[in-house]
Amino acid sequence: MSNHCHQDQTHRWVLCPHCDMTTKLPGLVPGTRATCMRCESTLATAWHEPLRRPMVYAFSALVMLVLANLFPFISISVMGMTNQISLLQIPQAMVDDKYRFLATIFLLFVQIIPATCLASILILTLNRRLPRQLTIPLAKGLFYMKNWGMAEIFMAGVLVSFVKLMAYGKIGLELGFWPWCLFCLCQLRAFQCLERHVIWQRISPVPPLPIEPTAGISGMNQNLRSCPCCAAIVAADDRYCPRCHQRGHARKPQSLQWTLSLLVTSIILYIPANIMPIMVTDALGSASGSNIMAGVIFLWNEGSWPIAMIIFVASILVPSMKILAIGWLSWNAGGYGTRDNHRMQIIYEIVEVVGRWSMVDVFVIAVLSALVRMGGLMNVYPAEGALLFCLVVILTMFSAQAFDPRLLWDREAIKTSEEESIE
């Protein structure tokens, strides 16, 4: 009987993904959440109808995505000439300008990844049992890819491009624009309501615990680790999770080395990305290039101060601060600097959230280069700086993912053990 009760409680034990603290979740009522006692990260959230809610939002988002691609998106009228584009014409314009990499990035981050994640949510939340050979790869891909979807960031880029385009002509919002707005809202809501523990519990029960955990102690100190994919607790020596078969370790192998290598590479690219032109404007046969700072100055001089500040923060301040923040986190995780882990945890969470938004300037260029095609009157093309800046954003995102925040809290455990040995 006691063993049966122990197995019934298995799904309530979790290891915090940020600090590795062992916690036994209380019985959550819908509308509440559980947070880690040490780092205050959210461990679980209880939603009303946790399967049906994301399923409805995902289905609605997919319908809106199809409609947004079927109709023209936006248009511009300059001196009697009108040009309108659809969403699919944006990457096509970049392909025509020999920037296939940027076109691929646009399709991947703005259309393919969000659509794939939403379709995965729809399949995983259906009220029918599907083979594990299908559901496990879908769940793995979903929880890895969902942070790489950038539909809402593209939407912000569209709004910023409107401000730039209003200086040249009249902007028209076509039929495809409104479904895209609804798609962004429904997609964000679907991801917000998606609970990892609920999805994986539906696919397969939590495997038996190797030992009886003790709450309030690091998982590593109990020879336990958390699966990076399905969050199941397994023995630290087990290389593969028995539920999702994902390979894992107690800590990310060579986390600091990978983090710093990617960070240094992004710094090397960041300097020319800010110096080289990211966009070329050809007006009446006279071509001129502009870098990121020149675009900010142009918007500021035109009186668009809020938009100029948004571009400055997203494209200059955020990448710079993110590079400094990741370097600072690595410095502390390596055993140097301050031991204020709560502050470091806040910095890490901010880096995770805001890092993607630096891509907004790349999407502004994508919209402008596709829409402003007025023959001999005016044309806009992407330039080499846009490619380098895109690589900087992607590399810093990979760098943040390679960093293991549990290393920060491991220092606290070492400090505590040293103090106890002295006493």
Side-chain angles (χ1 to χ4, degrees):
M1 178 66 70
S2 61
N3 184 58
H4 176 69
C5 294
H6 170 69
Q7 293 300 326
D8 287 344
Q9 302 297 315
T10 299
H11 68 281
R12 295 178 60 180
W13 286 99
V14 296
L15 295 180
C16 178
H18 287 160
C19 72
D20 200 38
M21 177 66 74
T22 308
T23 304
K24 187 175 184 180
L25 298 176
L28 298 176
V29 298
T32 62
R33 64 174 183 168
T35 58
C36 178
M37 295 180 297
R38 181 157 66 166
C39 70
E40 300 179 357
S41 299
T42 299
L43 299 176
T45 304
W47 296 93
H48 295 277
E49 299 181 326
L51 291 174
R52 182 177 300 178
R53 185 183 291 259
M55 179 177 64
V56 170
Y57 282 120
F59 177 76
S60 302
L62 284 172
V63 171
M64 292 300 107
L65 179 60
V66 172
L67 293 176
N69 280 279
L70 288 178
F71 299 100
F73 189 60
I74 53 177
S75 62
I76 183 172
S77 297
V78 180
M79 299 178 62
M81 298 180 62
T82 301
N83 185 31
Q84 67 178 16
I85 59 169
S86 65
L87 286 168
L88 294 178
Q89 287 177 306
I90 295 176
Q92 182 59 51
M94 289 186 281
V95 170
D96 294 340
D97 293 332
K98 311 301 182 184
Y99 283 89
R100 292 181 176 84
F101 177 78
L102 290 178
T104 303
I105 290 298
F106 177 88
L107 280 174
L108 194 63
F109 291 167
V110 177
Q111 298 253 30
I112 296 175
I113 287 181
T116 303
C117 290
L118 292 169
S120 299
I121 293 174
L122 204 57
I123 294 172
L124 293 170
T125 54
L126 286 174
N127 291 324
R128 60 181 63 185
R129 288 292 178 180
L130 298 171
R132 294 182 62 189
Q133 293 82 357
L134 171 65
T135 55
I136 288 178
L138 281 178
K140 284 184 177 181
L142 168 62
F143 289 107
Y144 179 77
M145 291 190 301
K146 70 184 185 71
N147 293 327
W148 288 89
M150 300 184 184
E152 69 278 10
I153 302 175
F154 168 69
M155 189 67 206
V158 171
L159 298 179
V160 171
S161 66
F162 285 171
V163 177
K164 290 189 174 184
L165 291 170
M166 281 191 288
Y168 302 112
K170 182 180 179 181
I171 306 300
L173 304 180
E174 304 299 331
L175 287 176
F177 178 82
W178 306 109
W180 182 263
C181 295
L182 293 175
F183 160 70
C184 292
L185 294 174
C186 291
Q187 178 209 226
L188 289 173
R189 190 60 176 160
F191 289 158
Q192 182 184 18
C193 299
L194 188 67
E195 187 64 21
R196 183 189 296 263
H197 298 283
V198 174
I199 296 296
W200 277 108
Q201 188 68 14
R202 180 177 175 82
I203 294 172
S204 178
V206 179
L209 294 168
I211 61 170
E212 178 70 25
T214 302
I217 301 177
S218 168
M220 176 177 281
N221 291 339
Q222 304 180 70
N223 198 32
L224 298 173
R225 70 172 180 87
S226 177
C227 174
C229 181
C230 70
I233 298 178
V234 299
D237 298 333
D238 291 345
R239 287 291 169 258
Y240 292 90
C241 173
R243 176 160 68 168
C244 67
H245 313 297
Q246 177 69 30
R247 183 179 174 87
H249 302 80
R251 296 293 182 267
K252 294 179 180 179
Q254 300 179 326
S255 171
L256 293 181
Q257 291 89 332
W258 277 107
T259 300
L260 292 174
S261 297
L262 292 166
L263 188 65
V264 170
T265 306
S266 65
I267 293 173
I268 294 172
L269 295 177
Y270 184 61
I271 297 173
N274 280 274
I275 297 175
M276 298 175 66
I278 61 171
M279 183 176 66
V280 175
T281 303
D282 186 353
L284 299 175
S286 177
S288 61
S290 62
N291 55 29
I292 297 174
M293 198 62 201
V296 172
I297 295 173
F298 170 79
L299 290 170
W300 187 273
N301 292 335
E302 291 292 319
S304 302
W305 303 327
I307 302 299
M309 288 302 298
I310 290 173
I311 292 294
F312 176 78
V313 170
S315 300
I316 296 179
L317 189 61
V318 167
S320 302
M321 296 304 295
K322 184 177 180 180
I323 289 172
L324 291 174
I326 296 175
W328 192 13
L329 288 168
S330 300
W331 174 265
N332 278 269
Y336 307 96
T338 179
R339 297 192 178 217
D340 190 349
N341 292 329
H342 286 90
R343 180 187 296 176
M344 293 294 102
Q345 178 66 30
I346 294 172
I347 292 173
Y348 174 75
E349 291 176 354
I350 292 174
V351 166
E352 274 194 316
V353 172
V354 305
R356 305 180 308 138
W357 285 88
S358 300
M359 196 68 80
V360 65
D361 216 27
V362 176
F363 293 143
V364 170
I365 297 167
V367 173
L368 294 177
S369 63
L371 190 60
V372 183
R373 296 295 172 100
M374 300 294 178
L377 182 61
M378 181 183 298
N379 296 280
V380 172
Y381 308 101
E384 291 80 3
L387 176 61
L388 294 177
F389 187 77
C390 182
L391 289 173
V392 169
V393 177
I394 293 173
L395 286 171
T396 53
M397 290 180 67
F398 276 125
S399 179
Q401 286 187 350
F403 180 76
D404 194 336
R406 294 169 297 184
L407 297 175
L408 298 168
W409 297 93
D410 288 344
R411 291 184 57 198
E412 183 177 282
I414 295 173
K415 178 185 176 183
T416 303
S417 62
E418 289 176 349
E419 293 174 349
E420 290 176 351
S421 63
I422 292 174
E423 293 176 358

